[in-house]
Amino acid sequence: MSVFPFVCSNFHATRLYEIRPVDVGLSPRMPFFSPQATRRAPTITYLHIHECEKFSMGIFCLPPSGVLPLHNHPGMTVFSKLLFGTMHIKSYDWVVGAPSASAVAEPSQTAQRSEVRMAKVKVDSNLTAPCKTSILYPADGGNMHCFTAVTACAVLDVLGPPYSDLEGRHCTYYLAYPFTKFSGDEQVSIPDEEKDKYAWLQERDKPEDLVVEGALYTGPVIREN
């Protein structure tokens, strides 16, 4: 039986960079990468590979226009390797010590809280495979991010430690508003030309149109030692 090219106790980002779609049993010709003729947001497929106390690993398979909405990774370090395709990534980090502001959710949206927090844009660009492995940290590197598939694409995610509601690592979704939308921007001295690099993020419920379906992972197994 084939074995994944690194083991749980010896994970390293450089090894992740070496992984190709064929190494994890993927091909762009698989049905869950096909364009979807539907009024709803395209369905995303998740291939669960492995989970242990230290990290979890899986692959998100996005058809064209598929979106993983803006969400966080509390207390976690995340390695993301784009295996093929082109993906737009927009990510944010919280601005430490910045004031909050009051907000009312848009009528078409649902939000858990009325408060919004200030964040700075870390990345807002397209990535095309092959490219470097993206790394985000608990307080830096774009801990809140959104993925949008420009073309069919697949991204291998390694999260350490894994999400855990019991340990306070709950996945939270956000709405993002322009920095100038709320009055809190008056309390922060930022040049006009820099304001597009900031935003207000507001917690929301999980988007109703987000559909992520599990599928069987058929690539190499993980070996622990």
Side-chain angles (χ1 to χ4, degrees):
M1 180 178 292
S2 56
V3 177
F4 211 81
F6 57 83
V7 295
C8 285
S9 61
N10 192 34
F11 175 73
H12 196 279
T14 56
R15 300 300 302 275
L16 193 63
Y17 175 76
E18 299 169 2
I19 296 174
R20 304 165 300 166
V22 67
D23 294 325
V24 289
L26 278 186
S27 165
R29 294 186 296 274
M30 290 179 166
F32 34 73
F33 294 113
S34 300
Q36 299 174 12
T38 175
R39 294 181 180 178
R40 298 191 59 179
T43 297
I44 295 169
T45 302
Y46 180 71
L47 309 178
H48 177 71
I49 298 175
H50 182 81
E51 183 167 330
C52 59
E53 291 184 358
K54 294 183 178 180
F55 69 89
S56 63
M57 179 184 299
I59 301 172
F60 286 98
C61 305
L62 290 79
S65 301
V67 177
L68 278 174
L70 184 62
H71 62 282
N72 71 343
H73 308 83
M76 302 157 69
T77 298
V78 181
F79 298 81
S80 296
K81 161 64 175 177
L82 185 62
L83 297 170
F84 66 82
T86 298
M87 171 182 288
H88 183 83
I89 298 178
K90 190 162 190 178
S91 65
Y92 305 81
D93 288 317
W94 296 122
V95 177
V96 179
S100 60
S102 296
V104 177
E106 300 292 340
S108 61
Q109 305 286 359
T110 55
Q112 297 173 336
R113 299 179 181 178
S114 60
E115 186 179 83
V116 294
R117 291 180 60 188
M118 185 178 168
K120 185 174 183 178
V121 176
K122 182 69 176 183
V123 176
D124 186 8
S125 62
N126 288 348
L127 294 182
T128 299
C131 55
K132 292 182 179 180
T133 300
S134 300
I135 307 175
L136 62 86
Y137 302 96
D140 187 31
N143 189 273
M144 289 82 65
H145 66 200
C146 173
F147 290 164
T148 303
V150 179
T151 68
C153 56
V155 58
L156 172 64
D157 264 4
V158 182
L159 292 71
Y163 283 113
S164 172
D165 289 344
L166 292 177
E167 297 180 16
R169 295 188 299 276
H170 173 71
C171 182
T172 301
Y173 294 90
Y174 297 92
L175 298 170
Y177 297 100
F179 179 70
T180 55
K181 184 175 179 66
F182 302 116
S183 60
D185 73 301
E186 299 172 357
Q187 307 173 44
V188 184
S189 178
I190 296 177
D192 289 342
E193 63 272 17
E194 296 289 320
K195 289 185 176 181
D196 60 347
K197 298 179 182 179
Y198 293 84
W200 297 100
L201 303 188
Q202 180 184 37
E203 290 187 21
R204 62 172 299 181
D205 295 331
K206 179 181 178 181
E208 294 182 357
D209 60 353
L210 173 61
V211 179
V212 180
E213 296 183 347
L216 181 64
Y217 169 70
T218 59
V221 299
I222 282 287
R223 174 170 57 87
E224 296 188 66
N225 65 355

